[in-house]
Amino acid sequence: MQDTGEDKQATETFAPDEHQHIRYNPLRGEWVLVSPHRTKRPWAGQVERPPDEDLPRHDPKNPLCPRVTRPNGQVNPDYKSTFVFPNDFPALLSDSPAPPSDDDDPLFRSGAARGECRVMCFHPHTDVTLPLMTLVEVRAVVDRWIEELEELGKKWVWVQIFENKGATMGCSNPHPHCQIWASSFLPNEPQIKDENQRQYYLQRGTPMLMDYVARELEKKERIVVMTGDWVALVPFWATWPFEVMVLPRRRHVARMTHLTPYERDSLAEVIQKLTTKYDNLFQCSFPYSMGWHGAPTGERLEDAEAEKYWVFHGCYFPPLLRSATVKKFMVGYEMLAQAQRDLTPEQAAARLRDLPDVHYKLASQE
Ligand code: H2U
């Protein structure tokens, strides 16, 4: 427990939407400071450029578009659905010399890093993001993610699928796409989640996130959208203002590769519904970084214990705070002490939940 000090002075009754407090994230084993009384502070800081809404459907200069020649001379096929290619500027190569082993040195440790990086285009049209695709098209994206996980997961212990969307998140290309980085090592984030889920399972004999989702379904305070098999909610311990987790709500699933056809359809639906609400929040193409986490792969595919405690889930981290142009900075206190938020997770969930289910661009066409 973080030392909260004795609360000797409090005379008012605690109200989570009014009074500052700290919340625990059991998945990462860390705390977040919630300061709801600060939501009304004026903003005179940096303003982002609004996302570009007038994108061409096809740009012959964009290396992610169909039929375009990439700078390395390769010509993209005239793809009609998803398209995956090896990243031309990969952070991880499959064959590279390893540093000398220095496990005994407590101060200067290093290790081998090998892997593969791919780029996956979601759709042939640059102006069509996930919420604007048909359900069949989103389902094709889900299927392709699973195919990539199956293939890369045979060899690599961790396959990270992630989407960086919008220039605010450092995304270099507006074409709808994600990246897939597979590595010979378990990166920090999944390693922390692996250990915390394992410890919880050892102590209680149930998977942490299935227990968590059951409690959230009872409370109904932080739910944004639900489909047959999935729930998208703002976690109790969210750090980003409109952070969302996508969790299985009926059946314990450890890996994305374990999904049934119906669960895949239902996942496509929750992705479409959530991203529609995101875009509707500030009537813009909502930026975020998102990705999927499930039980490790490669040499850990046979780890039956990990399949008992890992719960497959999605994480959405959007930076926007109060408009299409004002983002939350994770700086100062966050870098030096711990994450802090103003808006409560319950307020964020209510704002998203109350938005229309129809995308603002499609609503104007009705
Ligand atoms: P981001 O927009 O999320 O940065 O991803 C684009 C990726 O596409 C990036 O990793 C790759 C970049 O290396 N890329 C290619 O592999 N080939 C190209 O011709 C352009 C971009």
Side-chain angles (χ1 to χ4, degrees), residues 17-325:
D17 281 359
E18 274 177 51
H19 301 124
Q20 66 214 32
H21 56 283
I22 53 174
R23 294 191 185 192
Y24 184 63
N25 177 345
L27 205 47
R28 302 197 75 252
E30 63 181 30
W31 295 81
V32 55
L33 170 62
V34 186
S35 320
H37 55 285
R38 235 167 140 250
T39 40
K40 290 180 190 73
R41 96 190 149 117
W43 181 256
Q46 179 173 313
V47 168
E48 305 295 312
R49 199 171 66 86
D52 194 351
E53 295 285 324
D54 287 319
L55 293 166
R57 181 145 284 195
H58 181 86
D59 177 358
K61 293 202 186 74
N62 187 334
L64 267 51
C65 283
R67 308 183 300 281
V68 168
T69 307
R70 303 207 300 277
N72 68 356
Q74 293 201 348
V75 183
N76 291 339
D78 188 13
Y79 65 91
K80 305 288 181 206
S81 174
T82 59
F83 167 54
V84 177
F85 63 94
N87 196 311
D88 299 315
F89 312 99
L92 289 158
L93 298 164
S94 60
D95 198 13
S96 165
S101 171
D102 47 11
D103 276 353
D104 296 336
D105 189 328
L107 296 178
F108 296 89
R109 292 177 69 184
S110 52
R114 300 197 174 93
E116 278 178 66
C117 298
R118 296 180 179 174
V119 179
M120 173 175 155
C121 300
F122 294 157
H123 195 279
H125 297 159
T126 299
D127 59 341
V128 178
T129 53
L130 284 164
L132 297 171
M133 290 181 197
T134 64
L135 266 182
V136 172
E137 289 170 336
V138 184
R139 166 69 197 264
V141 171
V142 171
D143 285 345
R144 193 65 192 256
W145 281 333
I146 292 170
E147 268 175 53
E148 294 296 317
L149 275 171
E150 294 271 12
E151 192 201 316
L152 290 164
K154 282 188 191 127
K155 184 165 175 190
W156 305 109
V157 73
W158 191 253
V159 182
Q160 185 58 60
I161 295 174
F162 65 96
E163 180 190 3
N164 268 343
K165 181 169 171 267
T168 315
M169 289 313 287
C171 178
S172 61
N173 195 306
H175 194 87
H177 72 283
C178 72
Q179 295 195 46
I180 306 170
W181 292 20
S183 61
S184 60
F185 55 91
L186 198 57
N188 293 335
E189 281 296 312
Q191 198 160 61
I192 291 166
K193 289 185 176 183
D194 188 54
E195 186 51 23
N196 285 314
Q197 289 180 103
R198 193 175 75 87
Q199 288 297 343
Y200 183 99
Y201 186 80
L202 286 176
Q203 282 162 25
R204 293 165 193 265
T206 46
M208 174 202 287
L209 289 180
M210 293 315 292
D211 286 356
Y212 174 64
V213 85
R215 298 277 301 279
E216 288 288 15
L217 291 173
E218 267 169 37
K219 288 178 185 285
K220 299 187 178 69
E221 289 169 348
R222 283 169 290 273
I223 294 173
V224 177
V225 285
M226 281 208 282
T227 58
D229 294 286
W230 304 93
V231 55
L233 53 84
V234 180
F236 177 74
W237 53 77
T239 56
W240 291 94
F242 294 96
E243 179 177 332
V244 161
M245 264 177 105
V246 174
L247 286 151
R249 72 182 187 98
R250 288 201 201 281
R251 184 175 80 93
H252 174 204
V253 185
R255 303 173 190 283
M256 198 181 209
T257 48
H258 292 174
L259 300 186
T260 63
Y262 184 79
E263 286 165 343
R264 294 181 186 203
D265 276 343
S266 178
L267 185 62
E269 198 186 333
V270 85
I271 292 169
Q272 197 185 53
K273 286 190 163 156
L274 171 64
T275 52
T276 294
K277 288 202 182 263
Y278 269 166
D279 280 9
N280 285 345
L281 182 63
F282 299 131
Q283 301 235 328
C284 70
S285 186
F286 201 66
Y288 57 71
S289 273
M290 70 78 61
W292 303 106
H293 281 175
T297 50
E299 70 221 28
R300 292 200 46 195
L301 277 173
E302 305 306 317
D303 181 351
E305 203 60 14
E307 290 197 1
K308 289 185 191 151
Y309 61 75
W310 259 98
V311 175
F312 166 71
H313 61 276
C315 306
Y316 284 78
F317 303 118
L320 294 184
L321 174 61
R322 54 179 82 197
S323 73
T325 52

